[in-house]
Amino acid sequence: MQIYRIGGAFYDMLHLSLTMRKEEVLKASAIEGLGLQPGATVLDWGCGTGLSLRLLYPWLRDGGTIYAVDSSPSMAKRAVACCKPSDVLKYHFLLRDGLDLPIQEEVDVVIASYSLGVLSTDQFDPALQGIWKALKPGGRLLLLDMYVPTEQPWLRRVYQKATISFANKVFRQDFSETLLPAANKYFDTVSISHDEPLMAVTFVGQKRAQPLHDVVANAV
Ligand SMILES: C[S@@+](CC[C@H](N)C(=O)[O-])C[C@H]1O[C@@H](n2cnc3c(N)ncnc32)[C@H](O)[C@@H]1O
């Protein structure tokens, strides 16, 4: 992915100038809503420069394990630099394709922040299946991504479409209407909320005992 090779510092600068820290506030509140307890195990899928890892720290500094996967060395390098490992807080960085997760232990929570929407739509299902497998029974997925609000005056909607189209060109970031239905195959919706000015959707899902398509296939 070309944009992520340019460098983590460039990504952080662009993120800050486009969102003016409002996205950070949204993400911090979503992470707070998870109610993580010391000792929890979290996987950050597509950790990028570590914007979620920084926000996880206050919840896990007294104990926890964090796995962070990203395929871009320049993004992950910055994420590694922001971490504060200790005797009780362990980090494991995986520089690889998140579609192939070699995690040895099941985790309590997976965070995928603006990283699944980057994939092509045919990769949503394998990525979500891998996340589903990586979670403990009853584990949760926090998914943040972009969307275009529907109930909008046409001029605002044109502006938002143009913004998303720009984001697609730069980041290949594409919140597709197929992402949430794909997530619902593997996760029961715990909550879903939209931030219209940020064009951000926050989804929290709980791991289904069995993916929906397996239930349908078994019933046939
Ligand atoms: C828009 S950035 C989001 C980074 C971070 N999660 C955040 O909230 O700022 C998307 C990240 O997903 C990573 N990514 C995209 N496809 C990936 C894949 N198949 N496996 C692992 N990482 C991937 C990119 O390298 C990039 O760092």
Side-chain angles (χ1 to χ4, degrees):
M1 205 151 296
Q2 295 304 324
I3 182 74
Y4 303 122
R5 290 199 197 112
I6 294 175
F10 175 74
Y11 174 83
D12 281 353
M13 192 188 70
L14 203 59
H15 180 270
L16 180 62
S17 55
L18 287 176
T19 72
M20 305 303 284
R21 295 218 179 276
K22 288 184 185 145
E23 195 281 321
E24 185 181 325
V25 172
L26 179 81
K27 199 179 326 207
S29 151
I31 289 176
E32 182 180 0
L34 292 171
L36 288 168
Q37 298 297 317
T41 308
V42 179
L43 164 67
D44 188 357
W45 197 105
C47 65
T49 58
L51 297 182
S52 303
L53 297 177
R54 290 176 177 87
L55 299 172
L56 279 171
Y57 178 75
W59 300 98
L60 298 183
R61 71 176 143 215
D62 293 334
T65 305
I66 298 181
Y67 291 89
V69 62
D70 204 286
S71 52
S72 161
S74 62
M75 298 286 277
K77 195 172 157 195
R78 207 164 159 87
V80 172
C82 84
C83 289
K84 300 175 188 164
S86 70
D87 288 347
V88 290
L89 175 57
K90 311 280 179 215
Y91 292 89
H92 302 278
F93 279 92
L94 306 161
L95 187 58
R96 60 184 299 141
D97 191 333
L99 294 173
D100 175 24
L101 286 174
I103 294 176
Q104 302 300 323
E105 63 177 316
E106 291 177 329
V107 301
D108 296 296
V109 167
V110 174
I111 298 179
S113 166
Y114 306 96
S115 48
L116 290 181
V118 165
L119 301 174
S120 56
T121 50
D122 61 323
Q123 292 177 317
F124 289 165
D125 197 73
L128 285 156
Q129 188 176 52
I131 289 171
W132 179 84
K133 283 186 184 155
L135 280 163
K136 290 177 184 168
R140 285 170 298 157
L141 166 66
L142 167 59
L143 169 61
L144 289 122
D145 230 296
M146 293 176 79
Y147 84 112
V148 180
T150 46
E151 302 300 321
Q152 292 288 316
W154 71 269
L155 194 57
R156 177 139 179 84
R157 197 160 161 71
V158 167
Y159 165 76
Q160 286 168 329
K161 283 261 185 208
T163 310
I164 292 267
S165 161
F166 167 75
N168 279 340
K169 291 223 163 39
V170 180
F171 297 112
R172 292 191 53 226
Q173 178 115 10
D174 176 22
F175 177 76
S176 159
E177 276 152 27
T178 58
L179 181 55
L180 284 186
N184 276 133
K185 274 168 46 181
Y186 297 94
F187 299 92
D188 285 315
T189 304
V190 174
S191 67
I192 182 160
S193 59
H194 296 83
D195 184 306
E196 295 204 354
L198 276 175
M199 290 187 280
V201 58
T202 305
F203 168 86
V204 179
Q206 185 158 41
K207 179 176 177 166
R208 290 183 187 277
Q210 233 189 328
L212 272 186
H213 54 76
D214 289 355
V215 175
V216 173
N218 290 342
V220 174

